[in-house]
Amino acid sequence: MDLGLQGRVAAVTGGSHGVGYAIAQALLAEGCRVAICARDKARLDAAAQSLGHDVFAQTADVAKPGEVEGFVQTAASHFGGLDILVHNAGGGGGASLGAPDAEFSQAIELNVLAGLRAARAAVPLMRTRGHGRIIFIASVYGRESGGRAGYNVAKAAEISLAKALSRELAKDKILVNSVAPGSLMFPGRSAGHRRLRRVRPAARPLRRARRSCSRRRLSCLRPREPGDRRLLDRRWRPVPLPGMTSS
């Protein structure tokens, strides 16, 4: 696939593994020069070596003010500019109403404020080039129920931030989008793999349910709300990333 990205410069936060690594890999395949950052230096160096020679890697904790801005600026200096910013770093706590405020604040800091700071650093660089692309990797749980409360709140705010920035920056020919993926499997999430493998055999495919159930019975099997997965739908099946085997 040729997306017309040959020679473009892209910066990806949280690019040492999982979704961020796969994004960096895809951008490289399209001919981009890619910069990645992450907190874990050993993992980051291993990822950079695996990705290849067109990768610039810098250790940075995006939740700390100044570090993500430093990464964006250094990446632009290294490659001579910036065309694409992908804010992929994220996560969050606040599992329940009783969770401490600090857990919710940390989720907002990591997902929303880090993305805002990265965008602030990237926009002037993109304006000098006359164009730009900013992508926030959010989550389906920023759009509907499920997951931990702090994570949901942060991802919903991240999606809203992307919408606001898209309107503000359109005049500068800077396109801003958010992407809300669902469940994903990648190396390093073995606990999640085991959980999903336990659930799958118990779930009956929708087509088989249609053959064996009356309409009334089938309506009882359908999820009552997005978080209720009594009958797994294909939309909820995890998407394998590079490095996964289809076992």
Side-chain angles (χ1 to χ4, degrees):
M1 182 183 298
D2 183 5
L3 299 178
L5 298 178
Q6 187 69 37
R8 302 295 189 184
V9 178
V12 182
T13 66
S16 64
H17 70 292
V19 176
Y21 180 90
I23 290 170
Q25 195 173 45
L27 288 169
L28 285 166
E30 290 294 325
C32 285
R33 294 171 290 167
V34 177
I36 60 174
C37 76
R39 290 176 295 180
D40 188 324
K41 187 178 187 308
R43 178 183 277 180
L44 181 66
D45 290 343
Q49 185 176 3
S50 175
L51 287 168
H53 66 281
D54 281 336
V55 174
F56 168 79
Q58 179 175 321
T59 306
D61 184 349
V62 301
K64 295 179 179 178
E67 295 206 10
V68 70
E69 297 97 323
F71 162 66
V72 171
Q73 292 288 349
T74 307
S77 297
H78 180 81
F79 287 121
L82 184 69
D83 301 291
I84 302 165
L85 169 67
V86 182
H87 178 55
N88 165 73
S96 67
L97 181 66
D101 289 356
E103 290 190 14
F104 286 87
S105 297
Q106 184 180 23
I108 295 293
E109 189 80 32
L110 180 59
N111 295 275
V112 185
L113 293 181
L116 177 60
R117 292 172 187 139
R120 280 179 184 155
V123 166
L125 299 167
M126 293 177 177
R127 282 176 175 153
T128 62
R129 293 168 88 89
H131 64 263
R133 299 291 185 268
I134 300 175
I135 302 100
F136 292 88
I137 306 300
S139 168
V140 67
Y141 290 148
R143 298 171 57 88
E144 56 191 54
S145 63
R148 295 171 292 182
Y151 184 76
N152 286 18
V153 168
K155 288 302 182 182
E158 191 174 7
I159 292 170
S160 185
L161 173 63
K163 290 179 180 178
L165 291 180
S166 70
R167 298 183 65 181
E168 180 180 347
L169 299 174
K171 65 182 185 299
D172 299 310
K173 297 183 180 179
I174 298 175
L175 182 67
V176 184
N177 284 298
S178 64
V179 179
S183 300
L184 297 165
M185 289 195 306
F186 54 83
R189 285 197 174 178
S190 56
H193 296 175
R194 290 194 295 270
R195 183 169 60 255
L196 286 166
R197 290 183 69 174
R198 285 200 300 270
V199 171
R200 275 183 188 161
R204 300 175 63 193
L206 186 58
R207 285 176 294 184
R208 289 179 57 193
R210 282 176 178 159
R211 289 198 296 266
S212 60
C213 300
S214 66
R215 286 190 177 183
R216 183 176 178 183
R217 186 177 176 187
L218 181 60
S219 66
C220 297
L221 291 172
R222 289 185 182 132
R224 296 182 180 178
E225 58 182 74
D228 185 0
R229 304 180 193 173
R230 285 185 242 178
L231 182 65
L232 288 185
D233 188 290
R234 285 188 177 184
R235 292 171 299 175
W236 291 101
R237 291 185 181 175
V239 179
L241 293 177
M244 295 297 303
T245 57
S246 57
S247 57

